[in-house]
Amino acid sequence: MKVMIMRKRYLFAPGPTSVPPEVLLELAKPVLHHREPQFLEILSQVRDGLRYLFQTSGEVIILSASGTGAMEAAVANLFSTGDRALVISGGKFGERWAEICRTYGVEAVALEVPWGEAVKPSDVADALARDASIRGVCVQVCETSTGAAHDVRALGEIVRAHPHVVLIVDAVSALGAVDVRTDEWGLDAVVGGSQKAMMLPPGLAFVAMSAKAWQRAGQTNLPRYYFDLPKIRGELVQDDHPYTLPTPLVVALRESLGYVRAEGLDRIFRRHRQLAEATRAGIKALGLSLLAEKSPSDALTVVRVPEGIDGARLPKLFQELCNITIVGGQDRLRGKVFRLAHMGYVDTFDVVTMVSAVEFVLHRLGYPLEWGAGVRAAQEVLARPID
Amino acid sequence: MKVMIMRKRYLFAPGPTSVPPEVLLELAKPVLHHREPQFLEILSQVRDGLRYLFQTSGEVIILSASGTGAMEAAVANLFSTGDRALVISGGKFGERWAEICRTYGVEAVALEVPWGEAVKPSDVADALARDASIRGVCVQVCETSTGAAHDVRALGEIVRAHPHVVLIVDAVSALGAVDVRTDEWGLDAVVGGSQKAMMLPPGLAFVAMSAKAWQRAGQTNLPRYYFDLPKIRGELVQDDHPYTLPTPLVVALRESLGYVRAEGLDRIFRRHRQLAEATRAGIKALGLSLLAEKSPSDALTVVRVPEGIDGARLPKLFQELCNITIVGGQDRLRGKVFRLAHMGYVDTFDVVTMVSAVEFVLHRLGYPLEWGAGVRAAQEVLARPID
């Protein structure tokens, strides 16, 4: 046991993220059975709240899984053996779509995008026009590995014109942080996870689907049992579920969805926009540059490690020096970037803390900076009223 | 909001089960990141504790899923398209093995056992001798729908003699309640779930496998991504995981595994034996009969609804009259049985309460009984020292 010292813990990683203490306390309540009346009432409220968050009138499927499980569920329900999928590949999670497709014998045609950039919607339109055999487009709202935001609204308009193509959207790190209009934008499958901007621990994943996608799911032939979405929907609409849900997380989800509803989606998106702009302003004021310069997501900011700094040391120093958990880059970005998440349960002073910590850490590494330059720039953005 | 009254809540369903308050409080702690040092240390301790619980020297794979997800993982990793599996089908969960197999194009040959009975090991030996094309045997330690215990130790001896057959064991409602010796008994895959006798809420599932099974998993061809066990093992042995684990549940698991180690498996199994024998004695003293008369599991007791009693009303009455959550029968047993679980965080007075509640509920339904007859019989068993 270490000697207790006053070092508060900060979690600024892009999932798991910080969870409001009131939501955590829900997890400590006596466990409910998944079929007792009190739980069924909560499940019903949660189903409502999820429809609000996903901006859909359809059923949002709840899974006991990580976000990857829900991505796999979307693929396994929406494709058949030998189908072709167009995969927007501009980061680790784009690549994950391709890996999942190939696992199931679905041909993944990669539309390569430089890591850190967003796909050009016209490139997707061209690819679909060129190849009539494509049955689905897989993309991220926010590519968590690079911090780039793909314009899924524009993709929705393009895919909508192709009756035999579905648009499958990984919104795991986007839902509750940035606008994702499932119904209005014609997104056929929207995948979510509990541990990002939904202000919950990991353990729940979600899939919302359009009528077009549900129809497709009734005709595909890939094997799925635990992830059989039509089967789960059939039970969920009766406030039931074929498998045992993590009941404490569902109870906590009601609480966090209550927060979402109380603040309102519009305000939530404006808040995240401001938190993101402030972080970006602070980072730039320190002379650093963003990986996703042109189309950064408002959910997280991915910062290039400056010349001469050992990128691998950065996350460790955040931990040791500041007791702040952040993450570095993955795969080809390893050691080249660090990622600051500002999604979910994040306020003005979290961003001030985050940018201040960047100053402390870089200063320790010998990076030349004027104390407070980053924080000042962030504050100037944070001072603007958003209500 | 209802008026608050002093009605304590009791959860005697066969999963989710009651969780110690100290374990629940672990869930309310600030969320850890799945790759921060503090969590990696906990994960390492959890891996050790799981090896103790599963009685294996091998790695126990941790999944963010329900028990069914882990059952699917076992099938998807241990069979190839067109393989034949012998499925012991004596209840709803036996049937689930067959459903999962068929989903993947694995031919499930059902060895039908009357619901409530255990499979005769010699029938399995005969089936394997008759059909050399069988590649795996799927069975439950405890068939939760009927309360019957299959003799997986005997099955292990039989299957061990067949180098091309693996024994796949659903121990979801058994681990932590009854003896399951993964290594010593030659069980090739043992599936567990957090929400039964492991004294945790639902949300985690587990698979332990033998060397024979790991070798098989490297050669099979069914599609699996989220459930790719060799891939997960490769990362777990380095205290990592390819997908985001529900970190609070893993932290709580360390706590509950601490309880398991403190009591010790031998004592735990003796305790469950006594709790089960007491429940059975109480039930019989009330003139009721058990569904699994000959080979009842020590994890739960499945009671036949007596003649003239409306079985569908029973669980509702337990809830309304006693604030106790129990469950009735599923599928063909609907309305015909009710199920009392005594697995995990259960003590002497839980069984006294359980049997007492049976008296209250049956009395309300007009069933003739002598007050206290069931409780007295249970107490006589519970009074015996087990240490």
Side-chain angles (χ1 to χ4, degrees):
Chain A
M1 200 63 192
K2 282 184 199 163
V3 176
M4 196 64 196
I5 46 171
M6 181 61 75
R7 287 184 78 206
K8 295 195 184 177
R9 159 186 297 281
Y10 298 91
L11 179 55
F12 296 145
T17 59
S18 237
V19 174
E22 295 82 354
V23 175
L24 287 174
L25 285 173
E26 292 292 318
L27 296 174
K29 291 187 176 173
V31 175
L32 298 181
H33 190 264
H34 53 302
R35 283 177 184 130
E36 70 177 279
Q38 194 181 338
F39 181 73
L40 299 186
E41 197 184 315
I42 291 171
L43 183 58
S44 178
Q45 293 165 359
V46 158
R47 289 172 52 218
D48 261 352
L50 287 172
R51 279 190 284 268
Y52 176 72
L53 176 65
F54 280 72
Q55 302 189 55
T56 181
S57 64
E59 192 67 32
V60 181
I61 303 304
I62 310 174
L63 301 168
S64 170
S66 83
T68 302
M71 290 172 75
E72 178 161 348
V75 168
N77 282 270
L78 293 174
F79 292 108
S80 291
T81 323
D83 274 356
R84 295 189 107 184
L86 182 71
V87 172
I88 312 308
S89 187
K92 188 175 159 64
F93 292 92
E95 288 182 349
R96 185 163 291 178
W97 277 131
E99 289 169 8
I100 296 172
C101 285
R102 286 174 193 139
T103 298
Y104 279 86
V106 172
E107 194 187 343
V109 181
L111 203 169
E112 299 283 350
V113 178
W115 284 37
E117 293 184 19
V119 68
K120 282 196 201 95
S122 60
D123 286 352
V124 174
D126 292 349
L128 291 179
R130 260 199 321 273
D131 186 348
S133 71
I134 287 170
R135 301 271 287 152
V137 177
C138 300
V139 68
Q140 271 67 35
V141 178
C142 165
E143 169 59 62
T144 319
S145 62
T146 68
H150 294 301
D151 185 354
V152 295
R153 180 184 193 166
L155 299 185
E157 270 176 42
I158 291 164
V159 172
R160 203 195 286 266
H162 297 265
H164 302 295
V165 184
V166 288
L167 178 58
I168 305 176
V169 172
D170 164 7
V172 171
S173 62
L175 281 159
V178 303
D179 207 2
V180 182
R181 303 190 188 180
T182 303
D183 289 359
E184 189 184 326
W185 294 352
L187 314 179
D188 294 305
V190 175
V191 169
S194 55
Q195 79 280 15
K196 308 281 184 176
M198 289 176 76
M199 302 184 284
L200 278 183
L204 290 175
F206 309 92
V207 189
M209 299 216 294
S210 68
K212 188 178 176 183
W214 282 114
Q215 195 181 14
R216 168 82 72 90
Q219 301 160 347
T220 51
N221 72 1
L222 297 180
R224 65 229 171 197
Y225 186 86
Y226 185 65
F227 291 137
D228 184 338
L229 299 180
K231 179 178 171 178
I232 299 172
R233 180 169 76 151
E235 303 210 4
L236 259 185
V237 295
Q238 303 172 60
D239 289 325
D240 203 349
H241 198 287
Y243 312 115
T244 311
L245 285 172
T247 51
L249 271 173
V250 175
V251 174
L253 173 57
R254 177 178 65 169
E255 187 77 8
S256 72
L257 287 171
Y259 282 42
V260 168
R261 207 128 30 178
E263 185 175 4
L265 287 179
D266 278 356
R267 170 60 157 73
I268 286 174
F269 302 146
R270 288 202 306 279
R271 170 167 57 86
H272 280 85
R273 170 61 51 90
Q274 186 178 63
L275 297 171
E277 286 182 348
T279 307
R280 295 191 286 256
I283 289 299
K284 287 181 184 172
L286 293 170
L288 301 169
S289 68
L290 308 178
L291 181 69
E293 186 61 52
K294 281 186 226 156
S295 50
S297 170
D298 290 339
L300 81 163
T301 296
V302 181
V303 186
R304 289 183 198 273
V305 173
E307 285 290 323
I309 298 285
D310 178 3
R313 279 191 66 196
L314 274 174
K316 284 180 197 154
L317 260 187
F318 273 90
Q319 195 81 58
E320 289 165 19
L321 205 61
C322 310
N323 214 19
I324 291 178
T325 302
I326 65 148
V327 292
Q330 298 163 289
D331 292 345
R332 71 178 80 167
L333 290 175
R334 192 173 294 272
K336 297 187 178 153
V337 299
F338 60 98
R339 295 181 286 161
L340 306 170
H342 29 72
M343 56 175 89
Y345 185 57
V346 181
D347 77 352
T348 300
F349 299 105
D350 288 316
V351 165
V352 168
T353 298
M354 206 177 292
V355 176
S356 165
V358 172
E359 297 188 14
F360 278 106
V361 168
L362 288 180
H363 178 265
R364 170 64 65 98
L365 289 169
Y367 180 83
L369 56 81
E370 177 202 343
W371 281 113
V375 172
R376 186 176 58 232
Q379 282 177 306
E380 281 165 10
V381 176
L382 293 164
R384 294 179 207 146
I386 61 166
D387 285 308
Chain B
M1 203 62 191
K2 281 184 199 161
V3 176
M4 196 65 193
I5 46 170
M6 181 62 75
R7 288 184 78 204
K8 296 196 185 175
R9 161 186 296 280
Y10 299 90
L11 180 54
F12 296 145
T17 59
S18 236
V19 174
E22 296 82 355
V23 175
L24 287 174
L25 285 173
E26 292 291 318
L27 296 174
K29 291 186 175 173
V31 175
L32 297 181
H33 190 264
H34 54 301
R35 284 178 183 127
E36 70 177 280
Q38 193 181 338
F39 180 73
L40 299 187
E41 196 184 317
I42 291 170
L43 183 58
S44 178
Q45 293 165 0
V46 158
R47 290 172 52 218
D48 261 352
L50 286 172
R51 278 190 284 268
Y52 175 73
L53 176 64
F54 279 71
Q55 302 188 58
T56 182
S57 64
E59 192 67 32
V60 181
I61 303 305
I62 310 175
L63 301 168
S64 170
S66 84
T68 301
M71 290 171 74
E72 178 161 347
V75 168
N77 281 270
L78 293 174
F79 292 107
S80 291
T81 322
D83 274 356
R84 294 188 109 185
L86 182 71
V87 173
I88 313 307
S89 186
K92 190 177 158 65
F93 292 93
E95 288 181 350
R96 186 163 291 178
W97 277 131
E99 289 169 9
I100 296 172
C101 285
R102 286 174 192 139
T103 297
Y104 279 87
V106 172
E107 195 187 340
V109 181
L111 201 170
E112 299 283 351
V113 178
W115 284 38
E117 293 183 20
V119 68
K120 283 197 202 91
S122 60
D123 287 352
V124 174
D126 292 349
L128 292 179
R130 260 199 319 273
D131 186 348
S133 71
I134 287 170
R135 301 269 289 152
V137 177
C138 300
V139 68
Q140 271 68 36
V141 179
C142 166
E143 168 60 63
T144 319
S145 62
T146 68
H150 295 299
D151 185 354
V152 296
R153 179 184 192 166
L155 299 184
E157 271 177 41
I158 291 164
V159 171
R160 204 195 286 266
H162 297 266
H164 301 296
V165 183
V166 289
L167 178 58
I168 306 177
V169 172
D170 164 6
V172 171
S173 61
L175 281 159
V178 302
D179 206 3
V180 181
R181 303 190 188 180
T182 302
D183 290 358
E184 188 183 326
W185 295 352
L187 313 179
D188 294 304
V190 175
V191 170
S194 54
Q195 80 280 15
K196 308 281 183 177
M198 290 177 73
M199 302 183 286
L200 278 182
L204 290 174
F206 309 93
V207 190
M209 301 216 294
S210 68
K212 188 179 176 181
W214 282 115
Q215 194 181 12
R216 168 81 70 90
Q219 301 161 346
T220 50
N221 72 1
L222 297 179
R224 65 228 170 197
Y225 187 86
Y226 185 65
F227 292 135
D228 185 339
L229 298 180
K231 178 176 172 180
I232 299 172
R233 180 170 75 151
E235 303 211 5
L236 260 185
V237 295
Q238 304 173 59
D239 289 324
D240 202 349
H241 197 287
Y243 312 116
T244 311
L245 285 173
T247 50
L249 271 173
V250 175
V251 174
L253 173 56
R254 176 178 65 167
E255 186 77 7
S256 71
L257 288 171
Y259 282 43
V260 167
R261 234 196 276 238
E263 185 175 2
L265 287 179
D266 277 355
R267 170 62 157 71
I268 286 175
F269 302 147
R270 287 202 306 278
R271 171 168 57 86
H272 280 85
R273 169 60 52 89
Q274 186 179 63
L275 297 171
E277 285 182 350
T279 307
R280 295 192 286 256
I283 289 299
K284 286 179 184 175
L286 293 170
L288 301 168
S289 68
L290 309 178
L291 182 68
E293 186 61 52
K294 281 185 229 158
S295 50
S297 169
D298 289 339
L300 81 163
T301 296
V302 181
V303 186
R304 289 184 199 272
V305 174
E307 285 289 322
I309 299 286
D310 178 4
R313 278 192 67 196
L314 274 174
K316 284 180 197 152
L317 260 187
F318 273 90
Q319 195 82 57
E320 290 165 18
L321 205 61
C322 310
N323 215 20
I324 291 178
T325 302
I326 64 147
V327 292
Q330 298 163 290
D331 291 346
R332 71 179 81 168
L333 290 175
R334 192 171 294 274
K336 295 184 180 154
V337 298
F338 60 99
R339 295 182 285 160
L340 305 170
H342 29 72
M343 54 175 89
Y345 185 56
V346 180
D347 78 351
T348 300
F349 299 106
D350 287 316
V351 165
V352 168
T353 298
M354 208 179 288
V355 175
S356 165
V358 172
E359 296 188 13
F360 277 107
V361 167
L362 288 180
H363 179 265
R364 170 64 66 98
L365 289 169
Y367 180 84
L369 56 81
E370 179 201 342
W371 282 114
V375 172
R376 185 176 58 233
Q379 281 177 305
E380 280 164 11
V381 176
L382 293 164
R384 294 179 206 145
I386 61 166
D387 286 308

